Amino acid sequence: MAQQYTREEIKARFAASLKEGRPIVVASSGIGISAKFAEAGGADMIGLFNSDYLGLDRIEATSLMPYGNANDIVMDLGDRIFPVVKDVPMLAGIIGSDPTREMTPFLKIMRFKGFSAVINFPSPGFAYGQHRNNLERNNYGVQQELKVLRTARELGFYTFGLAYDEQIALQIAEDGHDALVLGLAMVEWEKGGATLEEAAAYVNSVTAKVKAVAPDILVFLQGHPIHTPEDTQYLYDHTDAVGLMGISNMAYGAKPIQEAVASFKAARINQ
């Protein structure tokens, strides 16, 4: 059964990794076997997200689509995955603007079940323009989820704040959360995503302003254009980011499965 950690214990674990010069890796999981081997591979934390559950069936990039309740999915994942994780803190991706439940009792249940940390994912912050304005006006937007994230912090969770823009990043810093996750998917979205160089420039710009407000906040990376460990190394070399929020990056193991099947298929039989 996964062990539950306090905020201070998680801070100490993360600080130890950083002292060794090693990044903090939050590995997402949509099934028990991926969580088991993520822990074996040295993950600092395992995150449960509705997108990884959908991604098991290759239903991708759909975290905000109406294919299921994200909060219910994460709770179901917890029941399946907690029994196979031993020592790694567990992170829940919650949608705080869920209009179908009272979020404070829900967070208390998550605490009781053993979750140690939360993040505002899936997030309506990914929306923009009139759609985003409509969400905010009806209390289904980012301000509502940040209100719930503040409640989670008060209840003792280690809190990651996910931001897709500078304004929300600064608000997360001002709210005193432990870590800021910069969603890079929105950088230069008009042309289909940023290059690594553009992402690094964006991270540096936001980090400088955030650190002026909250010097101790940890900055994590998430989303495109990060696809490989080499991509993260480039960003670590050119920014002050200290870790990766691996939403969907490590959950499926598609390439190893493909390579294993191809290797077996490549064997020859006697004719």
Side-chain angles (χ1 to χ4, degrees):
M1 183 66 183
Q3 181 178 342
Q4 189 174 60
Y5 291 83
T6 66
R7 176 186 289 113
E8 294 306 317
E9 288 171 334
I10 293 175
K11 286 183 176 180
R13 287 171 65 94
F14 286 179
S17 180
L18 297 177
K19 187 176 181 179
E20 296 174 357
R22 302 175 68 85
I24 300 164
V25 175
V26 181
S28 62
S29 178
I31 195 169
I33 192 168
S34 64
K36 177 179 179 179
F37 288 111
E39 181 175 18
D44 297 286
M45 182 177 281
I46 293 174
L48 305 185
F49 307 103
N50 74 316
S51 58
D52 290 318
Y53 174 80
L54 296 170
L56 290 172
D57 291 324
R58 308 310 295 175
I59 305 171
E60 300 179 52
T62 55
S63 59
L64 282 173
M65 295 298 287
Y67 302 148
N69 184 286
N71 291 326
D72 287 340
I73 288 172
V74 167
M75 292 296 274
D76 289 342
L77 287 176
D79 290 337
R80 294 164 51 194
I81 292 175
F82 267 72
V84 302
V85 175
K86 304 302 180 186
D87 299 316
V88 179
M90 301 292 290
L91 165 70
I94 63 169
I95 183 158
S97 56
D98 183 351
T100 67
R101 74 193 67 220
E102 290 290 337
M103 290 303 294
T104 298
F106 178 68
L107 287 168
K108 290 179 179 179
I109 293 171
M110 300 194 88
R111 192 76 182 154
F112 174 77
K113 283 210 164 192
F115 284 100
S116 301
V118 296
I119 184 174
N120 54 316
F121 180 90
S123 171
F126 191 75
Y128 57 90
Q130 188 60 46
H131 180 43
R132 172 75 171 273
N133 293 337
N134 288 339
L135 291 172
E136 297 293 347
R137 185 166 55 250
N138 289 284
N139 291 325
Y140 300 144
V142 176
Q143 293 307 313
Q144 177 63 21
E145 71 177 10
L146 292 185
K147 177 181 177 181
V148 172
L149 201 62
R150 291 192 292 271
T151 301
R153 178 171 172 76
E154 293 168 1
L155 291 174
F157 287 99
Y158 187 97
T159 49
F160 294 85
L162 171 62
Y164 289 109
D165 59 62
E166 181 181 297
Q167 178 184 356
I168 299 303
L170 286 168
Q171 188 171 344
I172 287 166
E174 291 166 357
D175 284 348
H177 294 297
D178 302 294
L180 167 67
V181 181
L182 289 177
L184 303 178
M186 294 295 283
V187 182
E188 298 292 343
W189 61 266
E190 298 95 337
K191 64 177 186 179
T195 65
L196 287 171
E197 293 80 5
E198 290 167 335
Y202 171 74
V203 172
N204 287 331
S205 174
V206 176
T207 298
K209 296 174 183 177
V210 163
K211 290 284 189 177
V213 175
D216 296 329
I217 196 168
L218 301 182
V219 177
F220 284 69
L221 308 166
Q222 186 271 324
H224 300 291
I226 301 170
H227 301 287
T228 68
E230 291 75 23
D231 295 336
T232 64
Q233 187 63 63
Y234 177 89
L235 290 170
Y236 295 145
D237 289 343
H238 293 85
T239 72
D240 289 332
V242 299
L244 173 69
M245 179 62 62
I247 300 174
S248 301
N249 295 67
M250 293 162 275
Y252 315 136
K255 186 175 181 181
I257 293 171
Q258 178 179 340
E259 291 175 348
V261 172
S263 296
F264 280 109
K265 187 65 177 176
R268 308 300 298 177
I269 59 174
N270 291 324
Q271 296 189 27

